[in-house]
Amino acid sequence: MSKDAAVEEFAGLVRALKARDGRSYEALGRRLSVSASTLHRYCSGATVPEEFAVVDRLALLCGAEEEERRVLEAAWTEADRARRRAASLAPTPVPAVSAAPESNPDPTAPDPTAPEAPRARPRRGAPAPLLVAAAVALVVLALAAALLSHPTRTASAPTPASTAPGRTAAPLPFTWSTGSQLWEGGCGHTYLVDRAPRAVAPPPVAADSGAWAGTHGAVHGGEAMVRITVQGRSPSDAVVLHALHVRVVDRAAPLPWNAYRMDNGCGGAVTPRHFAVDLDRPRPLARPVDGLDASGAEVRKIPAVSFPYKVTSSDPEELLVSARTVSCDCRWYLELEWSAGGRTGTVRITDGGKPFRASGTRGRPAYVHDSAEGRWITDSDLGQTG
């Protein structure tokens, strides 16, 4: 017998979360305090977790938004009911009709088992369970459709996030987009890569950093910079941005990978006012800090400006967040509080649906690229060739 439709739909949503994160069953299982085989059974529909808490932790770890978590909880509720219903039903006994032909020696005589045929029809005579199962399947399908129609945020196609709890869903009065492959001054950055130097391509230009990082499975080393661009939908009705919160969803030991620097030193550049985040703190805060303009003959300070901000369609705002870490491999996301026209809400800012990520680099082998030799070398080698 095939699995219950509600269980199948719930398992599909869990598989989608796991695929979004990209980590193995074992790696995710460690974060959730379950075995890899248990997590695999959740994803395959072989079993349904008895508590939603473990699935909710998975959703948070994979960057799911509030609306997605509500959809997932509703799907788990239906799947859990199906699991309990299946456990409470005793197996239906099969009528022992296979031995009847042996008691009928005359093959031309009427089959004595024929009158027993109606015993095989209880399912047609009791359609209510099937109708209930079909209704449950339709509900879960609708919930799954809502999840798929509300995908994770991407930098290329910003879409509305969920509104504050207790309010009906409505289009956001603003749009937002993110950039997460930024380098300080457009030239200085470090990536951690789990590859030997000979297997790492030369540094890209900053504009191609996303493709380079994706190809190498690179993680931001020591610092991750995120640019958030917010623009109102109306030229006259302003949206007020009240606060930016940092939510760390996972902490682990720094990655034991090689560190690859994308430059040998930057020249003068403009560092605009931005928000600094210390991911090593128990409760990281986004603190406004001064920026510097070192592109001219003298260094000029760019004063920090804290919340609130106002945005319209003709007056957007750009928020730059610089998150640093020394002692952890941290996964985190941001929450932006807003209000407009009597409405309030919070938007979750993620890296294309996943948490942002940065890992400390202390004690890791560090390499720079020697363009003359066309190879990666250590800092000490650079001093000898210079």
XYZ file of all heavy atoms in Angstrom, residues 92 114 116-131:
133
model
N -6.709 -5.381 8.580
C -7.966 -6.011 8.177
C -7.731 -7.472 7.833
O -6.885 -7.777 6.992
C -8.544 -5.291 6.944
O -8.693 -3.913 7.257
C -9.879 -5.902 6.546
N -18.427 -18.050 -4.550
C -19.036 -16.886 -5.197
C -19.864 -16.048 -4.235
O -19.790 -14.827 -4.258
C -19.890 -17.337 -6.383
N -19.358 -15.428 -1.331
C -18.504 -14.696 -0.397
C -17.915 -13.430 -1.020
O -17.260 -12.662 -0.352
C -17.347 -15.607 0.069
C -17.772 -16.874 0.752
C -18.494 -16.589 2.029
O -18.132 -15.607 2.694
O -19.432 -17.325 2.357
N -18.123 -13.239 -2.334
C -17.508 -12.093 -3.021
C -17.835 -10.755 -2.377
O -16.973 -9.889 -2.297
C -17.919 -12.087 -4.490
N -19.098 -10.524 -1.926
C -19.386 -9.218 -1.311
C -18.490 -8.877 -0.129
O -18.351 -7.732 0.218
C -20.851 -9.349 -0.879
C -21.414 -10.372 -1.813
C -20.308 -11.353 -2.046
N -17.855 -9.924 0.495
C -16.982 -9.631 1.625
C -15.766 -8.798 1.209
O -15.123 -8.198 2.035
C -16.499 -10.928 2.277
C -17.607 -11.760 2.877
C -17.046 -12.997 3.528
N -18.100 -13.848 4.037
C -17.892 -15.020 4.620
N -16.653 -15.463 4.769
N -18.898 -15.736 5.063
N -15.451 -8.806 -0.054
C -14.281 -8.048 -0.524
C -14.630 -6.618 -0.891
O -13.835 -5.927 -1.469
C -13.670 -8.760 -1.738
N -15.900 -6.175 -0.570
C -16.343 -4.852 -1.006
C -16.485 -3.816 0.101
O -17.112 -2.796 -0.125
C -17.701 -4.976 -1.719
C -17.664 -5.879 -2.942
C -19.051 -5.969 -3.539
N -19.069 -6.896 -4.647
C -20.177 -7.300 -5.250
N -21.339 -6.832 -4.834
N -20.124 -8.154 -6.244
N -15.986 -4.034 1.295
C -16.239 -3.016 2.319
C -15.707 -1.654 1.924
O -16.263 -0.644 2.282
C -15.485 -3.568 3.546
C -15.420 -5.033 3.330
C -15.319 -5.213 1.846
N -14.590 -1.592 1.173
C -14.042 -0.293 0.827
C -14.985 0.501 -0.064
O -15.102 1.708 0.055
C -12.693 -0.470 0.129
C -11.626 -1.041 1.042
C -10.333 -1.196 0.309
N -9.340 -1.832 1.167
C -8.133 -2.186 0.783
N -7.776 -1.959 -0.476
N -7.294 -2.760 1.616
N -15.682 -0.196 -1.004
C -16.634 0.520 -1.852
C -17.878 0.909 -1.079
O -18.533 1.873 -1.393
C -17.009 -0.352 -3.046
C -15.960 -0.317 -4.158
C -16.403 -1.095 -5.353
N -15.944 -2.480 -5.264
C -16.232 -3.404 -6.157
N -17.007 -3.118 -7.176
N -15.769 -4.623 -6.031
N -18.202 0.161 -0.047
C -19.384 0.471 0.724
C -19.131 1.510 1.819
O -20.040 1.918 2.480
N -17.827 1.885 2.009
C -17.513 2.850 3.068
C -16.533 3.873 2.529
O -15.347 3.819 2.804
C -16.917 2.118 4.273
N -16.989 4.769 1.670
C -16.088 5.723 1.022
C -15.625 6.851 1.931
O -14.765 7.614 1.540
C -16.965 6.288 -0.110
C -18.363 6.216 0.442
C -18.405 4.957 1.288
N -16.199 6.994 3.126
C -15.862 8.151 3.967
C -14.368 8.270 4.240
O -13.799 9.344 4.107
C -16.649 8.078 5.284
N -13.644 7.165 4.631
C -12.205 7.341 4.873
C -11.462 7.838 3.657
O -10.538 8.645 3.766
C -11.755 5.937 5.284
C -12.997 5.283 5.804
C -14.105 5.820 4.962
N -11.852 7.336 2.465
C -11.167 7.795 1.252
C -11.440 9.265 0.987
O -10.557 10.014 0.553
C -11.603 6.955 0.055
C -11.122 5.495 0.058
C -11.622 4.778 -1.181
C -9.603 5.440 0.117
N -12.679 9.687 1.233
C -12.997 11.101 1.032
C -12.213 11.973 1.996
O -11.724 13.048 1.637
C -14.499 11.321 1.232
C -15.410 10.711 0.154
C -16.863 10.932 0.517
C -15.094 11.327 -1.210
